[in-house]
Amino acid sequence: MLSAFDQHRVNITTADAADKLAAALARDGLATFDGVFGRGESLRLAGRLMLIVEHRDADPDGVTFITDRGDLARKAGHACFGTGPLTPHTSCSAVRHPPEVVVLVCARPGISGGESLIVDGRALHADLATNNPDLLGVLDQAHSAYFGTGPGHLGSVLEHPAPDRLTIRLRLDELARFTPGIDQRLPELRDAITRHTKVLPLQAGQGYAIANHRMLHGRRAYTGGRTMYRVLGDLLPEHAIPRGFTPLRHLPAHV
């Protein structure tokens, strides 16, 4: 049986690699790849697919070097710079328009743990629609979720960019606040997320790209010098895909 990494692997050595990555993002929300070593190669791959956007933690070239940085991890919203687990989340959930794509490349895996975690919002939505419609109903209520500090973002976990499309925006750390209708049911949401978590044990040179409006991503706790390159961006016009996902109930019966 193929691993989750192999199921979504894209050959990035071809001239049309960016087209293939975009097609995988449109179809599955996730593309994996290997053979990318170093900061420069990570940046070049990302630049073929998207317009790189600025981030608080990134260097001027747009790359965020993610590794254990000790005390910094204790600051709210900086847990990625520690060795603890990261609950699957949306990157930049506190801004009005989160970047469309997250590219993560493994420079060095940890000694143990540190596996990347991916959750498909489409599968999560289908699960809740079938098994917990009451919870699903409160996740798209206006002004039911606040992410960040200061101006932050007030909205909802599920949003409708078009009549037949949904996006997901979520974090479950100290920078997230919800209305009581969601807050009291967070254990149920966490259980559903766990049911749909895919594990990607990345090795050096391996990585993934995800559609940030559809997929949640996180990691397991780790030991050792795990280091990653992260680049955020919006798809170039020639690679543009619809935001979010089409809920399963809108798909033809044969799907």
Side-chain angles (χ1 to χ4, degrees):
M1 182 178 178
L2 291 176
S3 68
F5 183 89
D6 290 327
Q7 288 174 7
H8 298 278
R9 189 195 301 257
V10 171
N11 181 357
I12 61 167
T13 64
T14 61
D16 62 347
D19 291 333
K20 291 179 178 177
L21 287 169
L25 292 177
R27 182 182 63 247
D28 301 323
L30 166 67
T32 60
F33 51 81
D34 54 18
V36 179
F37 296 96
R39 183 190 194 96
E41 288 190 14
S42 302
L43 196 59
R44 282 191 290 275
L45 174 65
R48 294 170 65 185
L49 179 67
M50 62 193 192
L51 178 66
I52 296 168
V53 300
E54 296 180 357
H55 186 270
R56 175 199 65 195
D57 301 321
D59 293 325
D61 61 2
V63 177
T64 301
F65 186 61
I66 299 176
T67 192
D68 180 16
R69 295 174 60 181
D71 289 344
L72 178 62
R74 298 190 181 94
K75 279 185 68 175
H78 291 74
C80 67
F81 296 113
T83 60
L86 291 180
T87 301
H89 61 281
T90 301
S91 274
C92 301
S93 57
V95 304
R96 183 177 181 183
H97 297 294
E100 295 176 345
V101 178
V102 179
V103 172
L104 189 77
V105 178
C106 178
R108 183 172 65 178
I111 294 173
S112 65
E115 297 90 346
S116 292
L117 306 175
I118 302 293
V119 179
D120 187 349
R122 184 169 178 257
L124 180 63
H125 179 272
D127 183 327
L128 295 178
T130 300
N131 300 307
N132 203 336
D134 291 342
L135 173 56
L136 186 64
V138 298
L139 292 177
D140 66 358
Q141 290 180 353
H143 302 160
S144 59
Y146 176 79
F147 303 110
T149 60
H153 178 81
L154 179 62
S156 56
V157 174
L158 296 173
E159 298 175 338
H160 301 259
D164 63 341
R165 303 288 294 182
L166 280 172
T167 62
I168 187 168
R169 180 196 299 255
L170 183 65
R171 65 189 303 151
L172 293 169
D173 61 5
E174 67 275 14
L175 295 183
R177 284 178 276 172
F178 304 97
T179 56
I182 296 177
D183 204 48
Q184 64 191 4
R185 306 188 70 171
L186 286 179
E188 299 167 60
L189 179 58
R190 290 179 182 273
D191 287 345
I193 288 172
T194 298
R195 287 195 295 273
H196 295 282
T197 297
K198 292 183 177 181
V199 181
L200 300 177
L202 301 178
Q203 301 302 312
Q206 295 182 329
Y208 65 73
I210 59 166
N212 193 40
H213 297 108
R214 170 174 170 173
M215 311 294 286
L216 308 176
H217 66 289
R219 72 159 188 244
R220 289 175 173 167
Y222 70 91
T223 63
R226 180 184 187 270
T227 55
M228 299 278 163
Y229 299 111
R230 184 188 67 195
V231 189
L232 308 174
D234 294 329
L235 290 165
L236 294 169
E238 59 267 34
H239 304 308
I241 63 174
R243 294 175 61 192
F245 57 93
T246 302
L248 286 174
R249 65 176 179 269
H250 291 301
L251 295 179
H254 66 275
V255 175

